[in-house]
Amino acid sequence: MHRARMLCRTLGSALGCGLLMAGLAASAHAQCQLNSPSGKIKHVVYVEFDNVHFTRDNPNVPSDLEQIPNLLNFIKQNGALDTGDHTVLISHTANGILTTQTGLYSDNTSIFVANSFGDFTPSGSALFPSSFFYWTDLVSDITPATLDSSFALTTPAGLNVPAPWVPFTRAGCDVGAFSTANIVLERQPFDVKKVFGATSAQAAETGGNQTNDFIGVSVHCALNSPLCSTENNAVADLLPDEPGGYGGYQALFGMKYIAPALGGFTDYNGNALAGFSQLNFNPQPSQTLAVVETMLKKGIPVVFAYIADAHDNHEGATLSPARTFGSGEAAYVKQLADYNTAFGTFFANLKAAGIDQSNTLFIFTPDEGDHFSGAAASPANCDGINIPCTYGVNGVGELDFDLNLAAVNAGNSTPFNYHFDDSATVYVTGNPDPASATVRQLEKTLAAISTTNPQTGVNESILGSGLGANLQGSIVDRTGQKLLHMSSSVDPNRDPTFTFFGDPNFFFETTGNPDAIVGTGFAWNHGDIQPQIARTFIAMAGPGVRHIGVTQPTDFFSDHVDLRPTMMYLLGLKDDYQHDGRVILEMVDPNVLPSSVHAHTETLLRLGQSYKQINAPFGALAQSTLTVSNFAMQSTSDSDMVYNHLESKIASWTIQRDALAAQIKTMLEGAEFGGLAINEQQAKQLIGASETLLNQASACAANPGSCGS
């Protein structure tokens, strides 16, 4: 029996129970010691969306955020919305969440192909374990046949990546998590066995009951937290490689234990949330925000949560028989209106409880953007609000295309596996050298394939029309992947032979059909390199956040790894490692900057932007690399001279970039978290060296044929 319920019976009244829960909440808040520069932050609300857009997908139709004015106006009035944020590669849910949670690029976690990652087995074939797992899982926990006993989340030294909740719990703050990746239990039975024990009563439950009872919700507790009691079925919060150790900490896992410990969860439509099966990692705002509100009110000061995308049907048959929608369709607009209502309720309820932008850091960001694959909207002037958009039969849906069958039909029978995606990471059987004749011919074969788009009747290249302004497609092998942070130094069997960033209308998977077919269940592709996928937003409000409203994408460049250091700076906390990101000083109130930063703000801003352009997967150096690599992969010179020369160029850029990035990271982290004043002369030298590297790569990308000769 849970402690709160047992004591409520002793007190013998609803008032007594309410006083007890208030007392537990007060106790939890009292021991949580955030150290924000403003001294005002008492709570953290961190919400990650799946594919919610600030920019418009149809110029006539208001964007997702424009149709959620209760959220958009809250940010405009109380903080900053950075529209120049970018994802990492590959741009997917698991990868997007992990990089924002940690502030680390994917080569520092070894999860760079998501939502699954490839792994060559000793036999030379590739398997694809899921990227959704608990923080301490091994690859062999997820897919035993890999025979890979490394941590799924592994540092370059082979250790488990430090966990994102640790700085909070060490500061005395309980951390709640709802439906977000990797910090809740995600898969049964092995996640359940890991935390409760292989012979536990929890592990003995049926698979369905394990999912309902233990998956999707967690609370990582501070030492001596009254919430993580034996009566509440707390278990040890084990982190085997956490720097400095992590002994004595406890956690709660699952609705079965967390809901009653907090007095139950009820969504904003009045429905009880008693188990996770009804949510299945696709929660609506009326569910997620209600859980976040409850956790905050019951004394959990830091909450990480996830909300499903708005363009797929998450309300069921009562909303529409369709599984996915085109921009401006009536059901899409209705679902966004429900999102807006939930946010209105959320902010109003929190404010009534004394939780608002005066004492709370609010963070909202999507894991990635995505590209609509479908026919043109009808009528041409539809706006979704006054005139609903329609798309006709098969007018909404990705173009499913069988890459293996297409290669065979093009005369190439080289066996390969790939991650089903519009950016196919290809693992050639036997794990040959990417420069081998077999691999080089397969790359050229795939690049030359075209097929009829059934929605337009036009014959289209599955790779696209080259990069150009629309970043339509590119091929990169391991040399380019390393520059793009898509490699693992500790577990190279995860590295794809090459990656085929295709036309974003196509989704590559096994269909058994030689032609492209419309897959009407999904219409929004992500993972690829197009701006509508790569460019997202970071929204923040609260003490220490500069009130600048909505920025323009050209104002400054940021990407997912910048969110973590910015959040930690605003909270006055430190991680156990050096971030790959920078504090987004453009979003920070100058009044909370220390003298070590304030005295050098202009130089730090320039240094930070130079750092982004050489190191971010969507920075200028990466864009030049995609252009040059695409040319190299399709080149046909004698002895592959052009390919070899351009690959050497990219490898050289990577070496130079890594050296510059290491120096810049140390300087930025020292100023932001160590109180160290920067050396102006050294900073300017690093900026100059970065610009030289960018210019070299840009010149090569402008004329790769000449550069490679």
PDB file of all heavy atoms in Angstrom, residues 550-584:
ATOM      1  N   VAL A 550       9.542  36.295 -31.544  1.00  0.00           N
ATOM      2  CA  VAL A 550       9.912  35.371 -32.613  1.00  0.00           C
ATOM      3  C   VAL A 550      11.092  35.925 -33.401  1.00  0.00           C
ATOM      4  O   VAL A 550      11.040  37.039 -33.922  1.00  0.00           O
ATOM      5  CB  VAL A 550       8.721  35.124 -33.559  1.00  0.00           C
ATOM      6  CG1 VAL A 550       9.124  34.182 -34.693  1.00  0.00           C
ATOM      7  CG2 VAL A 550       7.542  34.536 -32.787  1.00  0.00           C
ATOM      8  N   THR A 551      12.154  35.145 -33.497  1.00  0.00           N
ATOM      9  CA  THR A 551      13.306  35.543 -34.287  1.00  0.00           C
ATOM     10  C   THR A 551      13.126  35.087 -35.734  1.00  0.00           C
ATOM     11  O   THR A 551      12.219  34.312 -36.058  1.00  0.00           O
ATOM     12  CB  THR A 551      14.598  34.932 -33.729  1.00  0.00           C
ATOM     13  OG1 THR A 551      14.599  33.516 -33.985  1.00  0.00           O
ATOM     14  CG2 THR A 551      14.710  35.180 -32.232  1.00  0.00           C
ATOM     15  N   GLN A 552      14.008  35.543 -36.586  1.00  0.00           N
ATOM     16  CA  GLN A 552      14.052  35.083 -37.966  1.00  0.00           C
ATOM     17  C   GLN A 552      15.148  34.031 -38.122  1.00  0.00           C
ATOM     18  O   GLN A 552      16.167  34.088 -37.409  1.00  0.00           O
ATOM     19  CB  GLN A 552      14.323  36.249 -38.917  1.00  0.00           C
ATOM     20  CG  GLN A 552      13.235  37.302 -38.925  1.00  0.00           C
ATOM     21  CD  GLN A 552      11.898  36.747 -39.388  1.00  0.00           C
ATOM     22  OE1 GLN A 552      11.821  36.037 -40.390  1.00  0.00           O
ATOM     23  NE2 GLN A 552      10.854  37.046 -38.630  1.00  0.00           N
ATOM     24  N   PRO A 553      14.981  33.065 -39.023  1.00  0.00           N
ATOM     25  CA  PRO A 553      16.017  32.035 -39.190  1.00  0.00           C
ATOM     26  C   PRO A 553      17.392  32.612 -39.514  1.00  0.00           C
ATOM     27  O   PRO A 553      18.409  31.974 -39.224  1.00  0.00           O
ATOM     28  CB  PRO A 553      15.478  31.180 -40.350  1.00  0.00           C
ATOM     29  CG  PRO A 553      14.007  31.385 -40.322  1.00  0.00           C
ATOM     30  CD  PRO A 553      13.802  32.804 -39.872  1.00  0.00           C
ATOM     31  N   THR A 554      17.417  33.803 -40.108  1.00  0.00           N
ATOM     32  CA  THR A 554      18.691  34.418 -40.475  1.00  0.00           C
ATOM     33  C   THR A 554      19.328  35.184 -39.322  1.00  0.00           C
ATOM     34  O   THR A 554      20.466  35.641 -39.442  1.00  0.00           O
ATOM     35  CB  THR A 554      18.483  35.370 -41.663  1.00  0.00           C
ATOM     36  OG1 THR A 554      17.424  36.298 -41.344  1.00  0.00           O
ATOM     37  CG2 THR A 554      18.104  34.597 -42.919  1.00  0.00           C
ATOM     38  N   ASP A 555      18.613  35.342 -38.201  1.00  0.00           N
ATOM     39  CA  ASP A 555      19.158  36.126 -37.084  1.00  0.00           C
ATOM     40  C   ASP A 555      20.360  35.433 -36.461  1.00  0.00           C
ATOM     41  O   ASP A 555      21.362  36.072 -36.130  1.00  0.00           O
ATOM     42  CB  ASP A 555      18.082  36.364 -36.021  1.00  0.00           C
ATOM     43  CG  ASP A 555      17.011  37.338 -36.479  1.00  0.00           C
ATOM     44  OD1 ASP A 555      17.219  38.014 -37.508  1.00  0.00           O
ATOM     45  OD2 ASP A 555      15.962  37.421 -35.814  1.00  0.00           O
ATOM     46  N   PHE A 556      20.265  34.158 -36.224  1.00  0.00           N
ATOM     47  CA  PHE A 556      21.376  33.375 -35.695  1.00  0.00           C
ATOM     48  C   PHE A 556      21.078  31.903 -35.927  1.00  0.00           C
ATOM     49  O   PHE A 556      19.936  31.502 -36.117  1.00  0.00           O
ATOM     50  CB  PHE A 556      21.636  33.649 -34.204  1.00  0.00           C
ATOM     51  CG  PHE A 556      20.449  33.436 -33.304  1.00  0.00           C
ATOM     52  CD1 PHE A 556      20.186  32.196 -32.742  1.00  0.00           C
ATOM     53  CD2 PHE A 556      19.591  34.481 -33.013  1.00  0.00           C
ATOM     54  CE1 PHE A 556      19.099  31.996 -31.915  1.00  0.00           C
ATOM     55  CE2 PHE A 556      18.499  34.302 -32.173  1.00  0.00           C
ATOM     56  CZ  PHE A 556      18.246  33.054 -31.627  1.00  0.00           C
ATOM     57  N   PHE A 557      22.127  31.091 -35.926  1.00  0.00           N
ATOM     58  CA  PHE A 557      22.034  29.655 -36.175  1.00  0.00           C
ATOM     59  C   PHE A 557      22.158  28.916 -34.844  1.00  0.00           C
ATOM     60  O   PHE A 557      23.033  29.203 -34.031  1.00  0.00           O
ATOM     61  CB  PHE A 557      23.160  29.217 -37.111  1.00  0.00           C
ATOM     62  CG  PHE A 557      23.137  27.762 -37.512  1.00  0.00           C
ATOM     63  CD1 PHE A 557      22.741  27.393 -38.791  1.00  0.00           C
ATOM     64  CD2 PHE A 557      23.531  26.756 -36.634  1.00  0.00           C
ATOM     65  CE1 PHE A 557      22.736  26.048 -39.174  1.00  0.00           C
ATOM     66  CE2 PHE A 557      23.515  25.423 -37.001  1.00  0.00           C
ATOM     67  CZ  PHE A 557      23.114  25.072 -38.282  1.00  0.00           C
ATOM     68  N   SER A 558      21.281  27.974 -34.628  1.00  0.00           N
ATOM     69  CA  SER A 558      21.402  27.064 -33.488  1.00  0.00           C
ATOM     70  C   SER A 558      21.036  25.669 -33.958  1.00  0.00           C
ATOM     71  O   SER A 558      20.472  25.493 -35.037  1.00  0.00           O
ATOM     72  CB  SER A 558      20.493  27.502 -32.331  1.00  0.00           C
ATOM     73  OG  SER A 558      19.129  27.390 -32.699  1.00  0.00           O
ATOM     74  N   ASP A 559      21.375  24.670 -33.164  1.00  0.00           N
ATOM     75  CA  ASP A 559      20.881  23.328 -33.448  1.00  0.00           C
ATOM     76  C   ASP A 559      20.615  22.597 -32.143  1.00  0.00           C
ATOM     77  O   ASP A 559      20.789  23.147 -31.048  1.00  0.00           O
ATOM     78  CB  ASP A 559      21.791  22.557 -34.410  1.00  0.00           C
ATOM     79  CG  ASP A 559      23.144  22.189 -33.839  1.00  0.00           C
ATOM     80  OD1 ASP A 559      23.513  22.712 -32.781  1.00  0.00           O
ATOM     81  OD2 ASP A 559      23.862  21.376 -34.470  1.00  0.00           O
ATOM     82  N   HIS A 560      20.142  21.369 -32.257  1.00  0.00           N
ATOM     83  CA  HIS A 560      19.579  20.660 -31.109  1.00  0.00           C
ATOM     84  C   HIS A 560      20.522  20.579 -29.909  1.00  0.00           C
ATOM     85  O   HIS A 560      20.070  20.612 -28.760  1.00  0.00           O
ATOM     86  CB  HIS A 560      19.164  19.252 -31.530  1.00  0.00           C
ATOM     87  CG  HIS A 560      17.796  19.168 -32.123  1.00  0.00           C
ATOM     88  ND1 HIS A 560      17.036  20.273 -32.425  1.00  0.00           N
ATOM     89  CD2 HIS A 560      17.033  18.092 -32.451  1.00  0.00           C
ATOM     90  CE1 HIS A 560      15.867  19.878 -32.912  1.00  0.00           C
ATOM     91  NE2 HIS A 560      15.837  18.566 -32.942  1.00  0.00           N
ATOM     92  N   VAL A 561      21.821  20.442 -30.157  1.00  0.00           N
ATOM     93  CA  VAL A 561      22.738  20.279 -29.027  1.00  0.00           C
ATOM     94  C   VAL A 561      22.907  21.565 -28.225  1.00  0.00           C
ATOM     95  O   VAL A 561      23.473  21.544 -27.121  1.00  0.00           O
ATOM     96  CB  VAL A 561      24.122  19.767 -29.492  1.00  0.00           C
ATOM     97  CG1 VAL A 561      23.991  18.392 -30.128  1.00  0.00           C
ATOM     98  CG2 VAL A 561      24.785  20.741 -30.451  1.00  0.00           C
ATOM     99  N   ASP A 562      22.416  22.687 -28.729  1.00  0.00           N
ATOM    100  CA  ASP A 562      22.523  23.957 -27.999  1.00  0.00           C
ATOM    101  C   ASP A 562      21.461  24.094 -26.912  1.00  0.00           C
ATOM    102  O   ASP A 562      21.601  24.934 -26.012  1.00  0.00           O
ATOM    103  CB  ASP A 562      22.402  25.138 -28.967  1.00  0.00           C
ATOM    104  CG  ASP A 562      23.504  25.170 -30.001  1.00  0.00           C
ATOM    105  OD1 ASP A 562      24.603  24.676 -29.707  1.00  0.00           O
ATOM    106  OD2 ASP A 562      23.263  25.672 -31.112  1.00  0.00           O
ATOM    107  N   LEU A 563      20.403  23.308 -26.996  1.00  0.00           N
ATOM    108  CA  LEU A 563      19.323  23.452 -26.032  1.00  0.00           C
ATOM    109  C   LEU A 563      19.781  23.068 -24.623  1.00  0.00           C
ATOM    110  O   LEU A 563      19.499  23.778 -23.640  1.00  0.00           O
ATOM    111  CB  LEU A 563      18.125  22.598 -26.455  1.00  0.00           C
ATOM    112  CG  LEU A 563      16.906  22.597 -25.524  1.00  0.00           C
ATOM    113  CD1 LEU A 563      16.456  24.004 -25.194  1.00  0.00           C
ATOM    114  CD2 LEU A 563      15.758  21.804 -26.150  1.00  0.00           C
ATOM    115  N   ARG A 564      20.473  21.966 -24.486  1.00  0.00           N
ATOM    116  CA  ARG A 564      20.907  21.496 -23.164  1.00  0.00           C
ATOM    117  C   ARG A 564      21.802  22.514 -22.452  1.00  0.00           C
ATOM    118  O   ARG A 564      21.517  22.872 -21.304  1.00  0.00           O
ATOM    119  CB  ARG A 564      21.607  20.152 -23.296  1.00  0.00           C
ATOM    120  CG  ARG A 564      22.157  19.583 -21.980  1.00  0.00           C
ATOM    121  CD  ARG A 564      21.051  19.102 -21.077  1.00  0.00           C
ATOM    122  NE  ARG A 564      21.579  18.513 -19.844  1.00  0.00           N
ATOM    123  CZ  ARG A 564      20.855  17.810 -18.991  1.00  0.00           C
ATOM    124  NH1 ARG A 564      19.575  17.596 -19.221  1.00  0.00           N
ATOM    125  NH2 ARG A 564      21.400  17.326 -17.888  1.00  0.00           N
ATOM    126  N   PRO A 565      22.905  22.973 -23.072  1.00  0.00           N
ATOM    127  CA  PRO A 565      23.729  23.944 -22.339  1.00  0.00           C
ATOM    128  C   PRO A 565      22.995  25.237 -22.018  1.00  0.00           C
ATOM    129  O   PRO A 565      23.237  25.837 -20.966  1.00  0.00           O
ATOM    130  CB  PRO A 565      24.928  24.178 -23.260  1.00  0.00           C
ATOM    131  CG  PRO A 565      24.516  23.677 -24.590  1.00  0.00           C
ATOM    132  CD  PRO A 565      23.523  22.595 -24.342  1.00  0.00           C
ATOM    133  N   THR A 566      22.088  25.670 -22.901  1.00  0.00           N
ATOM    134  CA  THR A 566      21.327  26.882 -22.616  1.00  0.00           C
ATOM    135  C   THR A 566      20.424  26.675 -21.409  1.00  0.00           C
ATOM    136  O   THR A 566      20.355  27.525 -20.509  1.00  0.00           O
ATOM    137  CB  THR A 566      20.492  27.291 -23.843  1.00  0.00           C
ATOM    138  OG1 THR A 566      21.352  27.426 -24.973  1.00  0.00           O
ATOM    139  CG2 THR A 566      19.774  28.608 -23.603  1.00  0.00           C
ATOM    140  N   MET A 567      19.735  25.546 -21.366  1.00  0.00           N
ATOM    141  CA  MET A 567      18.887  25.231 -20.222  1.00  0.00           C
ATOM    142  C   MET A 567      19.712  25.141 -18.941  1.00  0.00           C
ATOM    143  O   MET A 567      19.338  25.706 -17.899  1.00  0.00           O
ATOM    144  CB  MET A 567      18.151  23.914 -20.467  1.00  0.00           C
ATOM    145  CG  MET A 567      17.307  23.441 -19.293  1.00  0.00           C
ATOM    146  SD  MET A 567      16.412  21.901 -19.606  1.00  0.00           S
ATOM    147  CE  MET A 567      17.778  20.729 -19.604  1.00  0.00           C
ATOM    148  N   MET A 568      20.839  24.439 -18.989  1.00  0.00           N
ATOM    149  CA  MET A 568      21.652  24.267 -17.790  1.00  0.00           C
ATOM    150  C   MET A 568      22.209  25.595 -17.311  1.00  0.00           C
ATOM    151  O   MET A 568      22.298  25.849 -16.099  1.00  0.00           O
ATOM    152  CB  MET A 568      22.781  23.270 -18.064  1.00  0.00           C
ATOM    153  CG  MET A 568      22.298  21.880 -18.455  1.00  0.00           C
ATOM    154  SD  MET A 568      21.200  21.134 -17.231  1.00  0.00           S
ATOM    155  CE  MET A 568      22.397  20.587 -16.038  1.00  0.00           C
ATOM    156  N   TYR A 569      22.573  26.466 -18.234  1.00  0.00           N
ATOM    157  CA  TYR A 569      23.062  27.783 -17.828  1.00  0.00           C
ATOM    158  C   TYR A 569      21.963  28.575 -17.129  1.00  0.00           C
ATOM    159  O   TYR A 569      22.197  29.183 -16.078  1.00  0.00           O
ATOM    160  CB  TYR A 569      23.577  28.573 -19.040  1.00  0.00           C
ATOM    161  CG  TYR A 569      24.022  29.948 -18.639  1.00  0.00           C
ATOM    162  CD1 TYR A 569      25.261  30.148 -18.059  1.00  0.00           C
ATOM    163  CD2 TYR A 569      23.166  31.041 -18.774  1.00  0.00           C
ATOM    164  CE1 TYR A 569      25.652  31.398 -17.629  1.00  0.00           C
ATOM    165  CE2 TYR A 569      23.545  32.297 -18.350  1.00  0.00           C
ATOM    166  CZ  TYR A 569      24.790  32.473 -17.776  1.00  0.00           C
ATOM    167  OH  TYR A 569      25.169  33.709 -17.332  1.00  0.00           O
ATOM    168  N   LEU A 570      20.762  28.562 -17.697  1.00  0.00           N
ATOM    169  CA  LEU A 570      19.652  29.313 -17.101  1.00  0.00           C
ATOM    170  C   LEU A 570      19.267  28.759 -15.728  1.00  0.00           C
ATOM    171  O   LEU A 570      18.706  29.486 -14.897  1.00  0.00           O
ATOM    172  CB  LEU A 570      18.444  29.280 -18.033  1.00  0.00           C
ATOM    173  CG  LEU A 570      18.572  30.106 -19.310  1.00  0.00           C
ATOM    174  CD1 LEU A 570      17.430  29.801 -20.268  1.00  0.00           C
ATOM    175  CD2 LEU A 570      18.606  31.602 -18.994  1.00  0.00           C
ATOM    176  N   LEU A 571      19.569  27.487 -15.467  1.00  0.00           N
ATOM    177  CA  LEU A 571      19.235  26.866 -14.187  1.00  0.00           C
ATOM    178  C   LEU A 571      20.388  26.900 -13.195  1.00  0.00           C
ATOM    179  O   LEU A 571      20.220  26.532 -12.030  1.00  0.00           O
ATOM    180  CB  LEU A 571      18.810  25.409 -14.412  1.00  0.00           C
ATOM    181  CG  LEU A 571      17.545  25.210 -15.234  1.00  0.00           C
ATOM    182  CD1 LEU A 571      17.329  23.734 -15.525  1.00  0.00           C
ATOM    183  CD2 LEU A 571      16.328  25.799 -14.532  1.00  0.00           C
ATOM    184  N   GLY A 572      21.572  27.305 -13.642  1.00  0.00           N
ATOM    185  CA  GLY A 572      22.724  27.326 -12.756  1.00  0.00           C
ATOM    186  C   GLY A 572      23.231  25.951 -12.397  1.00  0.00           C
ATOM    187  O   GLY A 572      23.798  25.740 -11.322  1.00  0.00           O
ATOM    188  N   LEU A 573      23.061  24.984 -13.302  1.00  0.00           N
ATOM    189  CA  LEU A 573      23.513  23.609 -13.085  1.00  0.00           C
ATOM    190  C   LEU A 573      24.612  23.259 -14.080  1.00  0.00           C
ATOM    191  O   LEU A 573      24.799  23.949 -15.086  1.00  0.00           O
ATOM    192  CB  LEU A 573      22.346  22.632 -13.231  1.00  0.00           C
ATOM    193  CG  LEU A 573      21.176  22.802 -12.258  1.00  0.00           C
ATOM    194  CD1 LEU A 573      20.077  21.807 -12.593  1.00  0.00           C
ATOM    195  CD2 LEU A 573      21.627  22.649 -10.813  1.00  0.00           C
ATOM    196  N   LYS A 574      25.316  22.157 -13.799  1.00  0.00           N
ATOM    197  CA  LYS A 574      26.386  21.710 -14.678  1.00  0.00           C
ATOM    198  C   LYS A 574      26.238  20.220 -14.959  1.00  0.00           C
ATOM    199  O   LYS A 574      25.836  19.447 -14.089  1.00  0.00           O
ATOM    200  CB  LYS A 574      27.763  21.965 -14.042  1.00  0.00           C
ATOM    201  CG  LYS A 574      28.106  23.432 -13.863  1.00  0.00           C
ATOM    202  CD  LYS A 574      29.509  23.584 -13.274  1.00  0.00           C
ATOM    203  CE  LYS A 574      29.865  25.046 -13.076  1.00  0.00           C
ATOM    204  NZ  LYS A 574      31.223  25.206 -12.510  1.00  0.00           N
ATOM    205  N   ASP A 575      26.591  19.832 -16.170  1.00  0.00           N
ATOM    206  CA  ASP A 575      26.657  18.416 -16.520  1.00  0.00           C
ATOM    207  C   ASP A 575      28.038  17.863 -16.194  1.00  0.00           C
ATOM    208  O   ASP A 575      28.988  18.621 -15.922  1.00  0.00           O
ATOM    209  CB  ASP A 575      26.352  18.219 -18.012  1.00  0.00           C
ATOM    210  CG  ASP A 575      24.854  18.265 -18.304  1.00  0.00           C
ATOM    211  OD1 ASP A 575      24.109  17.546 -17.619  1.00  0.00           O
ATOM    212  OD2 ASP A 575      24.430  19.024 -19.194  1.00  0.00           O
ATOM    213  N   ASP A 576      28.147  16.531 -16.250  1.00  0.00           N
ATOM    214  CA  ASP A 576      29.400  15.847 -15.932  1.00  0.00           C
ATOM    215  C   ASP A 576      30.310  15.722 -17.150  1.00  0.00           C
ATOM    216  O   ASP A 576      31.227  14.897 -17.138  1.00  0.00           O
ATOM    217  CB  ASP A 576      29.103  14.434 -15.403  1.00  0.00           C
ATOM    218  CG  ASP A 576      28.388  14.451 -14.074  1.00  0.00           C
ATOM    219  OD1 ASP A 576      28.671  15.345 -13.262  1.00  0.00           O
ATOM    220  OD2 ASP A 576      27.543  13.571 -13.848  1.00  0.00           O
ATOM    221  N   TYR A 577      30.061  16.487 -18.173  1.00  0.00           N
ATOM    222  CA  TYR A 577      30.804  16.344 -19.418  1.00  0.00           C
ATOM    223  C   TYR A 577      30.761  17.665 -20.169  1.00  0.00           C
ATOM    224  O   TYR A 577      30.001  18.579 -19.833  1.00  0.00           O
ATOM    225  CB  TYR A 577      30.195  15.233 -20.286  1.00  0.00           C
ATOM    226  CG  TYR A 577      28.703  15.400 -20.523  1.00  0.00           C
ATOM    227  CD1 TYR A 577      28.230  16.176 -21.590  1.00  0.00           C
ATOM    228  CD2 TYR A 577      27.765  14.807 -19.688  1.00  0.00           C
ATOM    229  CE1 TYR A 577      26.870  16.350 -21.798  1.00  0.00           C
ATOM    230  CE2 TYR A 577      26.407  14.969 -19.888  1.00  0.00           C
ATOM    231  CZ  TYR A 577      25.969  15.743 -20.946  1.00  0.00           C
ATOM    232  OH  TYR A 577      24.615  15.918 -21.147  1.00  0.00           O
ATOM    233  N   GLN A 578      31.571  17.745 -21.197  1.00  0.00           N
ATOM    234  CA  GLN A 578      31.599  18.925 -22.055  1.00  0.00           C
ATOM    235  C   GLN A 578      30.551  18.780 -23.144  1.00  0.00           C
ATOM    236  O   GLN A 578      30.479  17.769 -23.823  1.00  0.00           O
ATOM    237  CB  GLN A 578      32.994  19.079 -22.682  1.00  0.00           C
ATOM    238  CG  GLN A 578      33.198  20.378 -23.438  1.00  0.00           C
ATOM    239  CD  GLN A 578      34.603  20.459 -24.020  1.00  0.00           C
ATOM    240  OE1 GLN A 578      34.935  19.729 -24.973  1.00  0.00           O
ATOM    241  NE2 GLN A 578      35.436  21.312 -23.452  1.00  0.00           N
ATOM    242  N   HIS A 579      29.715  19.806 -23.296  1.00  0.00           N
ATOM    243  CA  HIS A 579      28.674  19.765 -24.325  1.00  0.00           C
ATOM    244  C   HIS A 579      29.274  19.934 -25.714  1.00  0.00           C
ATOM    245  O   HIS A 579      30.327  20.549 -25.894  1.00  0.00           O
ATOM    246  CB  HIS A 579      27.663  20.897 -24.103  1.00  0.00           C
ATOM    247  CG  HIS A 579      27.021  20.894 -22.756  1.00  0.00           C
ATOM    248  ND1 HIS A 579      27.317  21.811 -21.771  1.00  0.00           N
ATOM    249  CD2 HIS A 579      26.088  20.063 -22.220  1.00  0.00           C
ATOM    250  CE1 HIS A 579      26.592  21.560 -20.700  1.00  0.00           C
ATOM    251  NE2 HIS A 579      25.845  20.501 -20.940  1.00  0.00           N
ATOM    252  N   ASP A 580      28.558  19.418 -26.695  1.00  0.00           N
ATOM    253  CA  ASP A 580      28.881  19.729 -28.089  1.00  0.00           C
ATOM    254  C   ASP A 580      28.208  21.025 -28.524  1.00  0.00           C
ATOM    255  O   ASP A 580      28.548  21.578 -29.566  1.00  0.00           O
ATOM    256  CB  ASP A 580      28.428  18.590 -29.014  1.00  0.00           C
ATOM    257  CG  ASP A 580      29.342  17.379 -28.908  1.00  0.00           C
ATOM    258  OD1 ASP A 580      30.549  17.563 -28.660  1.00  0.00           O
ATOM    259  OD2 ASP A 580      28.843  16.249 -29.070  1.00  0.00           O
ATOM    260  N   GLY A 581      27.226  21.472 -27.764  1.00  0.00           N
ATOM    261  CA  GLY A 581      26.515  22.698 -28.097  1.00  0.00           C
ATOM    262  C   GLY A 581      27.068  23.896 -27.351  1.00  0.00           C
ATOM    263  O   GLY A 581      28.015  23.808 -26.563  1.00  0.00           O
ATOM    264  N   ARG A 582      26.451  25.031 -27.589  1.00  0.00           N
ATOM    265  CA  ARG A 582      26.831  26.289 -26.950  1.00  0.00           C
ATOM    266  C   ARG A 582      25.607  26.881 -26.264  1.00  0.00           C
ATOM    267  O   ARG A 582      24.464  26.549 -26.617  1.00  0.00           O
ATOM    268  CB  ARG A 582      27.325  27.300 -27.986  1.00  0.00           C
ATOM    269  CG  ARG A 582      26.204  27.742 -28.923  1.00  0.00           C
ATOM    270  CD  ARG A 582      26.624  28.820 -29.915  1.00  0.00           C
ATOM    271  NE  ARG A 582      25.455  29.259 -30.697  1.00  0.00           N
ATOM    272  CZ  ARG A 582      24.887  30.461 -30.583  1.00  0.00           C
ATOM    273  NH1 ARG A 582      25.363  31.347 -29.732  1.00  0.00           N
ATOM    274  NH2 ARG A 582      23.837  30.784 -31.325  1.00  0.00           N
ATOM    275  N   VAL A 583      25.816  27.740 -25.287  1.00  0.00           N
ATOM    276  CA  VAL A 583      24.706  28.503 -24.729  1.00  0.00           C
ATOM    277  C   VAL A 583      24.241  29.493 -25.795  1.00  0.00           C
ATOM    278  O   VAL A 583      25.054  30.226 -26.367  1.00  0.00           O
ATOM    279  CB  VAL A 583      25.134  29.259 -23.456  1.00  0.00           C
ATOM    280  CG1 VAL A 583      24.003  30.162 -22.964  1.00  0.00           C
ATOM    281  CG2 VAL A 583      25.530  28.272 -22.368  1.00  0.00           C
ATOM    282  N   ILE A 584      22.939  29.487 -26.083  1.00  0.00           N
ATOM    283  CA  ILE A 584      22.396  30.415 -27.094  1.00  0.00           C
ATOM    284  C   ILE A 584      22.264  31.780 -26.428  1.00  0.00           C
ATOM    285  O   ILE A 584      21.215  32.156 -25.892  1.00  0.00           O
ATOM    286  CB  ILE A 584      21.037  29.926 -27.634  1.00  0.00           C
ATOM    287  CG1 ILE A 584      21.126  28.467 -28.086  1.00  0.00           C
ATOM    288  CG2 ILE A 584      20.595  30.805 -28.819  1.00  0.00           C
ATOM    289  CD1 ILE A 584      19.781  27.861 -28.478  1.00  0.00           C
TER     290      ILE A 584
END
